[in-house]
Amino acid sequence: MASTIRLRPLVRAANIPDIPLARGDSKVLGRSDQADVTIDEPSLSRLHAKVNVNLDGVVTVEDLGSTNGIFINNSQKKGGSLSSGDRVRFGSVEYELEKDQASGSAASADQTVFRMPVSEQASKAIDRAALEGLLSTSRELMAFSDLPGLLDRVLERLQGILKPDRSAILLLNAETGELTPRAVRPARAGAAVSEFASGTAVREALAAKEVLVVYDARIDSRLQQSASLQMAGVRSVICVPLFGQEGAIGALYADQLATQSFTPEQVQYASAFAAQIASALETAKLYEDRERDFRASLEAFAKFVDARDKYTAGHSERVTAYTLVLARTLGLPPDQLEIVRRAGMLHDVGKVGVPDAILLKPGPLDPAERVIMESHVTIGFGMLNGLKGLKESLPSVRGHHERFDGRGYPDKLAGTDIHQHARLMGVADSYDAMTSARPYRNALPVEEAAKRLRKDRGAQFDPEAVDIFDAVEKEFIEIREKGLEDAKKTA
């Protein structure tokens, strides 16, 4: 009697079709729409394998140079013939060859048992956890500002879905080709890729631009030379390459040390999370590029302001550096340090509104001139007020000449009514003014400047800020000396 030949998937899914075959057939399988049989599964290559059936009904399979290869009865092959009941795996999708008699009874067909890699209940739990995790990550992507925290949370969500022994999100340096872990589970897994993940697997996935799935590293010819995998006893690996608009940006890596392998569903979930990770990294890169350009603009404007007076050249840059030293020592977080940086670069921007006759006067100012000079803080505040990205820096721009005893300007604020950043900047600004030369006086020695800061502790200066200065005075001196060296080079 005639027989029906087909490759039946061991795991039923909408994206994994039955593959009916007939004598004389030749079908290409893969992810691409150009394949004869499209299998929308990320572990398959675009054109993964070819299945042939000769006129005698003999079925053979051939690997078309795929990333994840073909496995016949769990042995990796370049090609081979299949008998009824044999299993062939393309990527992470496994099929069984069936040759049914056309006259076979329905009861006989019904006796086929589909074995799932996990129980139905466990599968539903994984599905629910994966969908909840994907939704949570999507919501965070809409307005995230903490990239390291987001990557760490994504990896934590994947733990319950992939159940890997180790996992990491790796970033690729496009210039050097170096891979750097940005999030790692477990945390003690190591800082270098060679100590943690298989660089071979990651680079294979990036080169192929496809998900790499390894079911048994001991027999997988691609990873026989991977010393890191062999030493760690790794058995199964998933590596999903991450791509942005400008090319490769990294990879999502996970492995298992036990005999259990990742399932096709887990590979798909890893790919879905990887797409979100790539989006986050791409967004972060755009944000970092924008921030870098913004910072460069601030630095250029600060240099323009300082350049009006050769005696104050580099002042804004040094005040910024001094204030950041104080802020870091105080333990301010990174987001606050960036606010301090912006304020430091622009704290004297209002001097563009001070006439040259006063700004460049080669001697002490009279009372009327001093009023005009002091107005630079309110001029600067007015110039920057309303500009996005500078709102939190305004208190320091306006208040860096306030005094702790309330005798400063422009608002006569006292004590902790003065913004913390402005109190730190007041110390930095005064130190630089005292240690810089003027037409009417020489620069004070650093020892004398430090002495005057301490003398005015609690009067002009916040006592805490002066105490911090005492702890980092050596760093102030190093910043000043570097500024002097840089000035000589550009003179």
Side-chain angles (χ1 to χ4, degrees), residues 323-341 396 419-422 424 464 468:
T323 311
L324 284 172
V325 168
L326 297 173
R328 290 193 189 98
T329 306
L330 185 60
L332 295 187
D335 60 327
Q336 294 294 304
L337 294 180
E338 182 58 31
I339 294 168
V340 167
R341 184 190 305 278
S396 296
H419 195 284
Q420 182 185 50
H421 297 176
L424 298 176
E464 183 182 29
I468 298 171

Side-chain angles (χ1 to χ4, degrees), residues 12-225:
R12 294 289 186 183
N15 60 319
I16 304 177
D18 275 26
I19 305 175
L21 300 166
R23 296 172 188 269
D25 269 352
S26 180
K27 294 184 177 182
V28 173
L29 285 60
R31 278 195 351 262
S32 171
D33 292 337
Q34 298 176 353
D36 300 309
V37 179
T38 301
I39 304 174
D40 185 16
E41 210 293 318
S43 64
L44 268 72
S45 297
R46 293 176 58 79
L47 300 176
H48 195 102
K50 181 185 287 187
V51 180
N52 299 297
V53 186
N54 68 14
L55 296 178
D56 294 324
V58 176
V59 180
T60 58
V61 292
E62 173 190 355
D63 186 2
L64 297 180
S66 65
T67 299
N68 290 313
I70 61 174
F71 290 76
I72 299 174
N73 296 325
N74 290 323
S75 295
Q76 188 173 15
K77 306 283 187 181
K78 290 295 183 183
S81 59
L82 300 176
S83 301
S84 183
D86 282 347
R87 295 183 177 183
V88 58
R89 188 169 71 234
F90 310 105
S92 64
V93 180
E94 193 162 20
Y95 282 87
E96 183 175 334
L97 181 65
E98 289 186 345
K99 292 184 177 181
D100 299 330
Q101 292 294 322
S103 61
S105 66
S108 174
D110 289 342
Q111 291 175 1
T112 302
V113 178
F114 299 102
R115 300 189 181 278
M116 299 290 286
V118 293
S119 70
E120 182 177 356
Q121 182 177 0
S123 179
K124 288 181 178 179
I126 291 175
D127 289 346
R128 183 170 60 252
L131 292 175
E132 289 174 353
L134 287 167
L135 286 172
S136 296
T137 304
S138 295
R139 285 193 292 269
E140 291 185 51
L141 279 173
M142 297 300 292
F144 85 93
S145 58
D146 176 17
L147 177 64
L150 176 61
L151 297 181
D152 205 54
R153 288 190 294 277
V154 170
L155 208 57
E156 185 64 33
R157 288 165 188 155
L158 274 171
Q159 289 297 111
I161 298 163
L162 301 184
K163 302 188 184 306
D165 289 299
R166 306 182 303 179
S167 58
I169 296 170
L170 308 165
L171 294 193
L172 176 69
N173 184 316
E175 295 181 359
T176 65
E178 182 182 1
L179 289 159
T180 305
R182 285 293 296 269
V184 175
R185 286 290 186 280
R188 63 182 183 279
V193 175
S194 60
E195 297 172 356
F196 173 74
S198 166
T200 305
V202 174
R203 296 185 193 285
E204 283 268 353
L206 288 170
K209 298 182 180 181
E210 295 174 347
V211 179
L212 181 89
V213 185
V214 176
Y215 291 94
D216 193 336
R218 299 172 304 175
I219 61 173
D220 194 301
S221 59
R222 297 167 298 181
L223 302 181
Q224 290 299 300
Q225 304 305 314

Side-chain angles (χ1 to χ4, degrees), residues 432-450:
D432 191 68
M434 288 187 286
T435 56
S436 298
R438 292 292 184 266
Y440 52 89
R441 66 161 174 82
N442 293 324
L444 292 178
V446 292
E447 296 82 6
E448 178 61 25

Side-chain angles (χ1 to χ4, degrees), residues 118-398:
V118 293
S119 70
E120 182 177 356
Q121 182 177 0
S123 179
K124 288 181 178 179
I126 291 175
D127 289 346
R128 183 170 60 252
L131 292 175
E132 289 174 353
L134 287 167
L135 286 172
S136 296
T137 304
S138 295
R139 285 193 292 269
E140 291 185 51
L141 279 173
M142 297 300 292
F144 85 93
S145 58
D146 176 17
L147 177 64
L150 176 61
L151 297 181
D152 205 54
R153 288 190 294 277
V154 170
L155 208 57
E156 185 64 33
R157 288 165 188 155
L158 274 171
Q159 289 297 111
I161 298 163
L162 301 184
K163 302 188 184 306
D165 289 299
R166 306 182 303 179
S167 58
I169 296 170
L170 308 165
L171 294 193
L172 176 69
N173 184 316
E175 295 181 359
T176 65
E178 182 182 1
L179 289 159
T180 305
R182 285 293 296 269
V184 175
R185 286 290 186 280
R188 63 182 183 279
V193 175
S194 60
E195 297 172 356
F196 173 74
S198 166
T200 305
V202 174
R203 296 185 193 285
E204 283 268 353
L206 288 170
K209 298 182 180 181
E210 295 174 347
V211 179
L212 181 89
V213 185
V214 176
Y215 291 94
D216 193 336
R218 299 172 304 175
I219 61 173
D220 194 301
S221 59
R222 297 167 298 181
L223 302 181
Q224 290 299 300
Q225 304 305 314
S226 178
S228 61
L229 287 185
Q230 302 301 325
M231 289 177 62
V234 171
R235 292 291 295 276
S236 185
V237 172
I238 295 176
C239 187
V240 188
L242 306 175
F243 283 88
Q245 294 183 356
E246 297 181 2
I249 54 180
L252 169 63
Y253 175 92
D255 64 28
Q256 291 178 335
L257 308 181
T259 56
Q260 179 181 353
S261 295
F262 294 111
T263 67
E265 291 88 351
Q266 289 173 319
V267 175
Q268 288 186 319
Y269 287 136
S271 298
F273 275 101
Q276 292 185 320
I277 294 167
S279 176
L281 293 174
E282 188 86 323
T283 301
K285 184 178 185 302
L286 293 173
Y287 179 80
E288 289 170 356
D289 289 346
R290 186 188 70 185
E291 289 297 295
R292 184 175 59 251
D293 292 342
F294 184 58
R295 184 179 294 178
S297 298
L298 297 186
E299 291 174 354
F301 198 58
K303 289 178 180 178
F304 167 76
V305 173
D306 290 350
R308 290 185 65 199
D309 182 357
K310 66 178 182 179
Y311 290 99
T312 60
H315 171 71
S316 297
E317 186 176 353
R318 291 192 300 272
V319 169
T320 301
Y322 293 143
T323 311
L324 284 172
V325 168
L326 297 173
R328 290 193 189 98
T329 306
L330 185 60
L332 295 187
D335 60 327
Q336 294 294 304
L337 294 180
E338 182 58 31
I339 294 168
V340 167
R341 184 190 305 278
R342 294 178 182 183
M345 297 307 296
L346 296 175
H347 77 285
D348 274 348
V349 68
K351 287 184 177 179
V352 298
V354 177
D356 284 354
I358 295 174
L359 183 68
L360 306 180
K361 183 178 179 179
L365 302 177
D366 63 34
E369 292 170 334
R370 179 154 295 284
V371 170
I372 296 173
M373 176 63 83
E374 290 178 355
S375 71
H376 79 275
V377 294
T378 52
I379 293 172
F381 179 86
M383 290 173 60
L384 303 176
N385 191 21
L387 292 181
K388 187 176 181 181
L390 294 176
K391 180 179 179 181
E392 292 180 284
S393 297
L394 292 179
S396 296
V397 172
R398 187 181 180 95

